[in-house]
Structures are given as structure tokens and as C-alpha cells.
Amino acid sequence: MKKLDIRGNEKHFDLTIYFILIIWSLIIIIPVLYVFMTSFASEKEYLTRGFFIIPRDWTMQAYEYLLGNNNFLQSFKNAILITAIGTFISISMTTLMAYGLSKKWLKGRSLMNFMVVFTMLFSGGMIPTYLVVNSLGMIDTFWAIWMTSAIAPFYLIVMRSFFASIPYELEEAARCDGCGEWRMFISIILPLAKAAIATFLLFYMVGYWSTYFSAVLYLNDPSKWPLQVFLRQMLIVNETMEESSVFMDAVVRYTPGAKMAAIVISTLPMMLIYPFVQKHFNKGMLLGSVKG
């Protein structure tokens, strides 16, 4: 009988994995690199050369134009405001509710947990939700976006499972030392949940930063539109709809480089924030996955 060449098989397997990863990396990186480099190219070069990675004539005109465009700057400020306040509201409400639902002694805990799971399976629908938001007087305000996206049920369930996995003896020891519920939650529980909070903080931030449909649905004032709505006006809306939007008078003047520059600028905030929470990301994704 021939002996199996285990080391040789492992080497071939590793080479295959590396080859697949390299191909997938190129598929992901090349379009991103193309968008980034094209933002520094002139309109003439973009239209005449076709596909290219490194521009021949470097220019900053696209970025200068965007940074001098009041509509773009206003939408960028709106996106920052929506993301900052919305993330704070969501992570605060999710953490507090998850901590409460993790307590077995809480009366009505099973019913509230069922209601959370129920919202994952069934939605009120777009029109009923709009009617509720309208009846509360939140139309054309950022509160319509914040309140309709305040808590993600899945994030809440994972966070609840993590809090439930914390040994009860730790809380008993804190109470024996004179800790109240709030002090124990802030000084003991939250530091232990740092990885989970950082993970869902990133998820909420990306969600609010990418807000589009809710903004179109609830915000009628163009001066309150976030960045994603502005990008749609720039990249997608047909020039024949020029008179139907406040932004359309500027869209026809946007060069391909300006469009690419807008995409680059819109992705920068999340790219800059991610490295600070990346070390908690992998650990946070596994928290609460063992105990349901």
C-alpha cells in the first residue's frame, strides 16, 4: 500500500486557498482602486481612456468642487448628525433593554422576549409605519429616522444572551459591596460588554450612515436630506428630471471625477472609524452565540 502524502496534500490545499483568496481580493480591490484613482483624473481623460487605474493627469478639481458645493456639505453634515445621535440612541436603548431582559426575575420577561422576536418575523409595513410617524408629528424631522431604527431585534437578542452569560455571583458580590443597579451596570457590566458594544456600535453607525429609504420617506425638506440621498441625485436621477429636485440644477454640472470623489468622501468616515473598533469586532461577533 502506498503511504498517503499528507504534507503534500496540505501544501496543495494551502496553495488552492491562497489562489482563491488572491482572486477574490483582486475582484474587491480593483473596483475600489478604480473609483479612488478616477476621482483624481480629468473629465477628458476619463472619457477618452476608458478603464484605467493610474491617471496620467492628476487633478484635485473634483474634490475642490465638492468641498465648495453647499448642497454636498449640507448633506454631509446631516449624515454626521443622523449617524452620531442615532447611534447613541440605538446603542443606549439596545444595551439597557438587553440588560433588563437578561434578568430571569423580571416579571413579564417571556412576553417581552416574544414581542422582540415577533418583530423580526413580522413588520407593520411601510404605510402603517408612516401613518404612526405622521400622527406623532415626526415627519420632516430626524426623529422619524431615529425612532423607526432605534432598536435592531437581532442585536438586542445577541446582547441579551451575552448579559445572561455573566455569572450571577459577580452581581451578588457587587451588591454586597454596596453597589446599586446603575453603578453596577455602568462600572461592572458595561466594561465586560465592551467588545459587544463596540461591534454593534459599528453596525448601527454603518446603518445610519447608509440611511436612504427612510430619509426619502420621512424627510420632505431637501436641506435635511443625508448624504446617500444626495449621491442618488448625483449618480442616478436622469437629467430630464432637472426641474423636479432642488439638487438637479447642480447634477448636470457634476463631472465623472466629481461623482467618484463623492463616493470616496462618503466612505472615508466609516473607513477611519473601523480600525478603532476592529480589535473588538471578532470577539464581539461570537459573544452570546453559545448561550441562547
Side-chain angles (χ1 to χ4, degrees), residues 124-145:
M126 180 180 67
I127 296 177
T129 303
Y130 180 87
L131 293 176
V132 172
V133 172
N134 185 41
S135 64
L136 294 175
M138 294 191 297
I139 293 296
D140 217 19
T141 67
F142 293 149
W143 287 103
I145 298 177

Side-chain angles (χ1 to χ4, degrees), residues 21 36 68 78 84 92 104 165 175 179 181 224-225 241 289 292:
L21 290 177
F36 179 73
N78 293 339
S92 300
K104 296 181 180 180
S165 66
R175 289 191 179 93
C179 269
E181 288 294 335
K224 296 181 179 179
W225 286 346
M241 300 177 63
S289 60

Side-chain angles (χ1 to χ4, degrees), residues 237-273:
V237 175
N238 195 290
E239 294 181 4
T240 58
M241 300 177 63
E242 179 175 351
E243 297 179 357
S244 65
S245 174
V246 173
F247 290 146
M248 282 293 93
D249 59 341
V251 171
V252 294
R253 297 197 301 271
Y254 289 141
T255 63
K259 297 177 181 179
M260 299 299 181
I263 296 175
V264 172
I265 294 176
S266 66
T267 59
L268 277 179
M270 295 299 104
M271 293 179 64
L272 294 176
I273 292 173

Side-chain angles (χ1 to χ4, degrees), residues 193-221:
K194 186 185 299 183
I197 292 175
T199 300
F200 296 126
L201 186 75
L202 178 63
F203 288 166
Y204 276 125
M205 288 182 66
V206 172
Y208 279 111
W209 185 258
S210 304
T211 295
Y212 167 74
F213 185 76
S214 296
V216 173
L217 187 62
Y218 301 122
L219 301 179
N220 300 322
D221 186 357

Side-chain angles (χ1 to χ4, degrees), residues 13-46:
F13 179 78
D14 292 341
L15 290 176
T16 303
I17 294 299
Y18 285 132
F19 176 76
I20 294 174
L21 290 177
I22 291 172
I23 296 299
W24 276 110
S25 299
L26 291 176
I27 293 175
I28 296 172
I29 292 174
I30 289 179
V32 175
L33 189 63
Y34 171 72
V35 171
F36 179 73
M37 289 300 184
T38 306
S39 66
F40 294 98
S42 62
E43 182 179 9
K44 180 179 179 181
E45 183 176 7
Y46 177 86

